[in-house]
Amino acid sequence: MKKIKAVVNTLDRKSHINREVYGHFSEHLGRCIYNGIYVGENSPIPNTNGVRNDVLDAFRQIRMPVLRWPGGCFADEYHWRDGIGDKSTRKKMINTHWGGVTEDNSFGTHEFFDMCEQIGCEPYLAGNLGSGTVEELADWIEYITFDGVSPNAELRRKNGREKPWKLKYLGIGNENWGCGGNMRPEHYADLYRQYQTYCRNFSGNELFKIACGPNADDYNWTKTLLDIVKDWHTKAISLHYYTVPTGNWDKKGSATEFSDEEYYSTIAKTRYIEELIVKHQAIISQYSDNIKLIVDEWGCWYDVEEGTNPGFLYQQNTMRDALVAAVNLNIFNNHSDIVYMANLAQAVNVLQSLLLTEGEKLVKTPTFHVFDMFKTHQDSELLYSFCENDADANAQAISHSASIAKDGSLTLTYANTSLDTGYSIECELIGKKAQKAQARILTSDNVRAHNTFDAPETVLPKEYAVQSTGSGISFDLPAHSVVSIVIS
Ligand code: AHR
């Protein structure tokens, strides 16, 4: 173990870490909604109003704060009226983006809002600007949030929901530079202004409107967009960035079989999101101090598992994904002055999932465990933290962040992305005596290790020992491991 020093200053508070930074995303894509989350009321799989109980329990365990729906690319061809009322007469459609399968619309607005209530999370809707109409989106907001007398509120009541729901987060379109209409930023920005005009604040509900921001490093999109939308009730713009190990979308690499070189390229490409955040923030700050960044799609995107529908984006999840998740979450924490929300893509059975399902079986992925280990950062204050680091071939091996909760407890999270060097860390705590430290470690002998339906506990967090020193704590951070420490 290589000895290094670290510092956490509890007196130097930087910014608030919104709980929404630990948010998620569920799209009508492959087996995310159907089979993954929703099995219907008549399924033999234990469920509450059609939503799997094991999924609900897992989402509650990580304190899921917000869930984005119905897409993704699906959002810009979703027509909400197809997904309400009697299920036997709901329209069936083709899910053209994702595998050309039949979408029976049995999971719609009521099912989504009911599920969010069961989880205890905020709903985040992506509205259809690509192929919908201004009227359709305006009506959806009225249907969901209006408490008075109107055709849409009456329709909602007729469909069994007397009181309106609360809806805060509303995305006006999704990836409108791509699958959401292939628009130029000028065109999208004008449409954004038009669509948002008719999305009203009804019955005390206040919308937090999110404009479609850039794809990765498209700084021109951010600038042109903000030129046009900055004064039009824009609370945030989105950023989408996926980690593709090879950088080649035609051959992205396998989720479980990868070389060490591919592993390091995955980590480097993950760390690149920090540069994207900083550069987009520099542009945003020229327009406003109040507009935030929402990274509403992030995560690893690999080749699909052999034998699965290429349109379903089903992939396994290894210890490498756990490290990617930890690096991303530490970066979001450390930039919580601008990153207001982030949503992992996606919650179940799609891309870098929290959960994988097969019939009645469910597996928690290594990524899930990282969200569980980091959950005490939610709604805390980011603290100054420093850690000596290696700047050799494994540049920036250690990723870290620290926060203080309302009750004064600290959460320190570390990830060591080196495949061969372990570190022994002596961490000085300024302004806090470490009375009690509870730590957990997630690691495995092999960075390619993953959980399967037959061996669901191969990668599992374990209780971990942390020593108290005169001025703080000391602990080991083995190669390819994630450690979380809660100090009270
Ligand atoms: O998450 C999968 C897809 O990735 C989403 O539908 C889209 O927004 C993005 O391109």
Side-chain angles (χ1 to χ4, degrees), residues 265-327:
S265 137
T266 309
I267 298 299
K269 287 187 192 307
T270 297
R271 283 190 173 276
Y272 175 56
I273 201 170
E274 185 155 30
E275 179 178 327
L276 296 176
I277 291 169
V278 169
K279 289 190 172 164
H280 285 296
Q281 179 175 23
I283 299 171
I284 295 170
S285 66
Q286 288 167 18
Y287 292 91
S288 160
D289 291 335
N290 298 320
I291 295 178
K292 301 291 183 191
L293 200 56
I294 289 189
V295 189
D296 57 20
E297 289 186 30
W298 68 269
C300 285
W301 193 322
Y302 307 123
D303 294 332
V304 296
E305 294 301 321
E306 240 177 83
T308 65
N309 186 329
F312 281 13
L313 311 186
Y314 179 76
Q315 63 189 42
Q316 250 296 355
N317 197 297
T318 66
M319 188 60 215
R320 170 176 65 167
D321 295 87
L323 288 154
V324 165
V327 168

Side-chain angles (χ1 to χ4, degrees), residues 33-53:
I33 296 292
Y34 300 114
N35 297 315
I37 290 177
Y38 186 74
V39 287
E41 295 86 341
N42 301 324
S43 169
I45 298 175
N47 68 83
T48 308
N49 302 338
V51 179
R52 295 175 68 124
N53 289 345

Side-chain angles (χ1 to χ4, degrees), residues 25 27 29 68 71-75 97-98 174-175 177 179 240 242 249 297 301 313 345-346 350-351:
F25 170 36
E27 178 167 10
L29 193 180
R68 180 171 181 251
C73 296
F74 182 80
H97 269 294
W98 305 119
N174 167 74
E175 294 197 354
W177 36 259
C179 64
H240 287 188
Y242 284 96
W249 281 89
E297 289 186 30
W301 193 322
L313 311 186
Q346 298 195 9
V350 170
L351 300 177

Side-chain angles (χ1 to χ4, degrees), residues 15 325 364 397 458 485:
S15 48
K364 292 174 176 167
T458 307
I485 306 166

Side-chain angles (χ1 to χ4, degrees), residues 222-383:
T222 301
K223 200 178 158 338
T224 312
L225 173 73
L226 288 172
D227 271 337
I228 301 169
V229 310
K230 67 173 188 319
D231 296 324
W232 295 95
H233 310 284
T234 311
K235 292 275 194 197
I237 67 168
S238 59
L239 164 68
H240 287 188
Y241 176 68
Y242 284 96
T243 299
V244 177
T246 58
N248 175 358
W249 281 89
D250 293 329
K251 213 169 173 352
K252 299 179 271 297
S254 154
T256 50
E257 286 162 30
F258 48 89
S259 63
D260 288 359
E261 194 193 338
E262 216 167 296
Y263 165 81
Y264 280 118
S265 137
T266 309
I267 298 299
K269 287 187 192 307
T270 297
R271 283 190 173 276
Y272 175 56
I273 201 170
E274 185 155 30
E275 179 178 327
L276 296 176
I277 291 169
V278 169
K279 289 190 172 164
H280 285 296
Q281 179 175 23
I283 299 171
I284 295 170
S285 66
Q286 288 167 18
Y287 292 91
S288 160
D289 291 335
N290 298 320
I291 295 178
K292 301 291 183 191
L293 200 56
I294 289 189
V295 189
D296 57 20
E297 289 186 30
W298 68 269
C300 285
W301 193 322
Y302 307 123
D303 294 332
V304 296
E305 294 301 321
E306 240 177 83
T308 65
N309 186 329
F312 281 13
L313 311 186
Y314 179 76
Q315 63 189 42
Q316 250 296 355
N317 197 297
T318 66
M319 188 60 215
R320 170 176 65 167
D321 295 87
L323 288 154
V324 165
V327 168
N328 270 300
L329 293 172
N330 279 331
I331 291 172
F332 299 152
N333 285 346
N334 289 327
H335 292 276
S336 49
D337 59 332
I338 186 77
V339 179
Y340 186 93
M341 186 199 295
N343 308 72
L344 174 71
Q346 298 195 9
V348 188
N349 291 335
V350 170
L351 300 177
Q352 191 178 344
S353 319
L354 294 171
L355 308 171
L356 301 175
T357 68
E358 199 178 81
E360 61 184 11
K361 293 188 197 154
L362 174 140
V363 156
K364 292 174 176 167
T365 65
T367 297
F368 173 90
H369 295 304
V370 170
F371 273 85
D372 196 39
M373 290 165 70
F374 278 52
K375 67 187 174 194
T376 43
H377 278 305
Q378 293 188 25
D379 272 339
S380 291
E381 303 303 312
L382 177 74
L383 296 174

Side-chain angles (χ1 to χ4, degrees), residues 95-109:
N95 190 334
T96 50
H97 269 294
W98 305 119
V101 294
T102 304
E103 161 65 56
D104 71 2
N105 278 302
S106 56
F107 188 89
T109 305

